[in-house]
Amino acid sequence: MKLKEKLKKLKKEIQQAFAGVEDLEELEKLRVKYLGQKGEVQEIFGQIGEVEPEMRPEIGKKTNELQEQAAKLHQKEKKRLEKKEKKQKMKKEKIDVTLPGTKPEMGYAHPLTRGMEEIKEVFLGLGFSIAEGPEIETEYYNFEALNIPENHPARDLQDTLYIDDKHLLRTHTSPVQVRTMENQRPPIRILAPGRVYRSDELDASHSPVFHQIEGLVVAEDISFSDLKGTIRSFVSEIYGEERDIRFRPSYFPFTEPSAEVDVSCIVCEGEGCSLCSRSGWLEVMGAGMVHPNVLEMSGYNPEVFSGFAFGMGWDRIAMLKYGIHDIRVLFENDRRFLHQF
Ligand code: DAH
């Protein structure tokens, strides 16, 4: 076939090929086939030397034209296909906002936290503020400053978890009383909730870690009736107004006089049942008037200042309130348990 005819045929072929192309990959193959360095257009350029000399300029010109046309065609198709593929991609990656979403898992406040928050609310309403102290305490704050003598059984290794000779895990929240008195001036009205530790074996009713809430009020002329009034408000808010309260004489080294506070049973209302061991009463806290020795050691003149204090174990109260029979479930953090509240 003559080169001139070959050129004509190639021109037609190129036009048809580019018109039918469907994607960029196919287009690139066509570009290589026709316009590449070893492509068909180059092949014609290579053959020009074989035609008669007088024909060469014309064929050369036509081949140049074909190359230009083909390049333009390629550019045009490339743009079209790029646009098309972008559109398809957008369509494919579109987010369907009407599809159901993945539900975020909701957390729940632990029953101990919930109860603690409720109690805090009550006391904040009575004008108290919240105080904190370290869980690793010194013997001084945990015992000595609270008038707990050297030979007191609570100081024994069997009851207290010591860290070294001088440091221990606080066995109650009462040391916060002393730390607060050292750092604030009266009138003092604080509530100190927190974790406490004792060397107890873990069983259904004992845990080496549990929670207490301490209260302290110190000012001039604070009397036992202030203590009673405060406890009355607290019991009404937390256990209900219909509850009876009773103060039983008791002993704590850091209060004088001291009392245990009982509340009429929340289940039988005083009749006697298994929860209250047939007594009709539930013991909820220890309390009393701050001992003069404690005031004095913290730098207060007991002739001028007086105060009351109370302390309660919150875990047992939460167990009563929520009908929990084993203290261990409070610390295992099993979600099946926690989700019930
Ligand atoms: N700290 C005592 C305990 O752990 C509880 C207590 C009793 C605290 C009487 C007080 C109080 O503030 O006045 O058993």
Side-chain angles (χ1 to χ4, degrees):
M1 201 194 319
K2 278 203 174 147
L3 202 56
K4 204 173 165 184
E5 277 160 30
K6 219 173 166 181
L7 201 59
K8 235 178 168 176
K9 202 175 150 235
L10 185 61
K11 189 172 167 178
K12 225 175 170 178
E13 191 185 318
I14 288 178
Q15 274 168 351
Q16 279 172 354
F18 279 116
V21 69
E22 283 306 332
D23 60 54
L24 286 167
E25 208 179 316
E26 203 186 320
L27 182 73
E28 177 60 10
K29 274 185 197 155
L30 292 180
R31 188 192 65 78
V32 173
K33 181 172 183 216
Y34 298 114
L35 293 165
Q37 274 176 7
K38 288 176 186 161
E40 294 191 21
V41 175
Q42 282 305 319
E43 201 183 308
I44 292 187
F45 277 126
Q47 288 168 1
I48 289 178
E50 292 163 22
V51 292
E52 307 89 84
E54 64 272 26
M55 291 290 283
R56 283 181 202 165
E58 195 198 331
I59 303 260
K61 195 176 154 218
K62 286 221 159 101
T63 313
N64 269 329
E65 277 169 13
L66 176 62
Q67 190 181 33
E68 263 172 47
Q69 275 174 2
K72 266 191 196 153
L73 215 54
H74 169 258
Q75 275 308 316
K76 195 178 125 202
E77 291 305 313
K78 194 173 164 200
K79 271 195 191 134
R80 178 179 71 86
L81 290 171
E82 274 172 355
K83 228 174 165 176
K84 186 176 138 193
E85 290 193 3
K86 195 169 162 192
K87 226 173 164 176
Q88 280 172 341
K89 202 172 162 199
M90 296 269 277
K91 216 167 163 184
K92 215 166 77 188
E93 290 175 5
K94 196 169 91 178
I95 294 167
D96 184 350
V97 291
T98 63
L99 283 173
T102 3
K103 259 196 180 160
E105 286 217 42
M106 291 295 287
Y108 298 81
H110 192 282
L112 285 176
T113 308
R114 285 237 321 250
M116 202 85 100
E117 291 301 323
E118 277 175 37
I119 294 183
K120 274 191 203 167
E121 281 302 312
V122 173
F123 281 99
L124 288 174
L126 293 173
F128 282 64
S129 54
I130 306 300
E132 281 184 358
E135 289 175 21
I136 295 176
E137 261 301 1
T138 60
E139 272 201 303
Y140 177 77
Y141 286 109
N142 199 78
F143 297 127
E144 217 172 306
L146 289 164
N147 204 32
I148 300 173
E150 196 85 61
N151 56 356
H152 193 280
R155 290 203 179 201
D156 203 279
L157 279 171
Q158 289 207 321
D159 292 309
T160 301
L161 294 159
Y162 283 85
I163 292 192
D164 56 35
D165 285 352
K166 294 250 169 300
H167 298 88
L168 46 85
L169 292 176
R170 66 176 180 191
T171 60
H172 52 179
T173 42
S174 302
V176 185
Q177 289 187 29
V178 180
R179 288 182 175 275
T180 307
M181 282 193 280
E182 283 182 356
N183 290 318
Q184 291 181 22
R185 298 314 305 164
I188 289 172
R189 238 182 279 153
I190 56 117
L191 192 76
R195 265 190 287 271
V196 300
Y197 303 84
R198 285 187 201 171
S199 180
D200 274 327
E201 283 299 329
L202 186 65
D203 63 28
S205 52
H206 295 86
S207 162
V209 48
F210 55 103
H211 300 79
Q212 285 190 339
I213 300 175
E214 191 83 15
L216 175 72
V217 172
V218 179
E220 289 178 42
D221 297 326
I222 295 293
S223 69
F224 203 91
S225 46
D226 294 313
L227 168 62
K228 278 189 144 172
T230 305
I231 302 299
R232 175 74 260 176
S233 304
F234 160 71
V235 169
S236 298
E237 293 271 355
I238 297 294
Y239 295 97
E241 286 195 29
E242 62 283 8
R243 297 271 91 78
D244 282 332
I245 297 177
R246 121 183 137 171
F247 284 72
R248 273 183 295 118
S250 185
Y251 171 77
F252 298 103
F254 37 90
T255 44
E256 181 58 37
S258 303
E260 299 276 358
V261 182
D262 296 341
V263 169
S264 57
C265 180
I266 52 175
V267 170
C268 65
E269 307 202 353
E271 295 281 308
C273 68
S274 60
L275 184 67
C276 58
S277 312
R278 316 263 154 231
S279 70
W281 297 95
L282 297 170
E283 191 185 308
V284 290
M285 66 172 82
M289 299 307 292
V290 181
H291 197 289
N293 288 355
V294 175
L295 288 170
E296 218 166 320
M297 274 187 277
S298 299
Y300 291 68
N301 182 354
E303 302 289 326
V304 181
F305 294 103
S306 54
F308 68 78
F310 57 87
M312 54 187 137
W314 170 240
D315 308 72
R316 210 179 66 85
I317 297 175
M319 286 168 73
L320 291 175
K321 195 166 166 157
Y322 298 116
I324 298 164
H325 301 296
D326 191 326
I327 195 171
R328 288 170 288 199
V329 297
L330 291 175
F331 303 106
E332 280 166 357
N333 289 332
D334 185 326
R335 290 171 35 164
R336 288 168 303 181
F337 164 72
L338 296 174
H339 280 203
Q340 295 172 47
F341 302 99

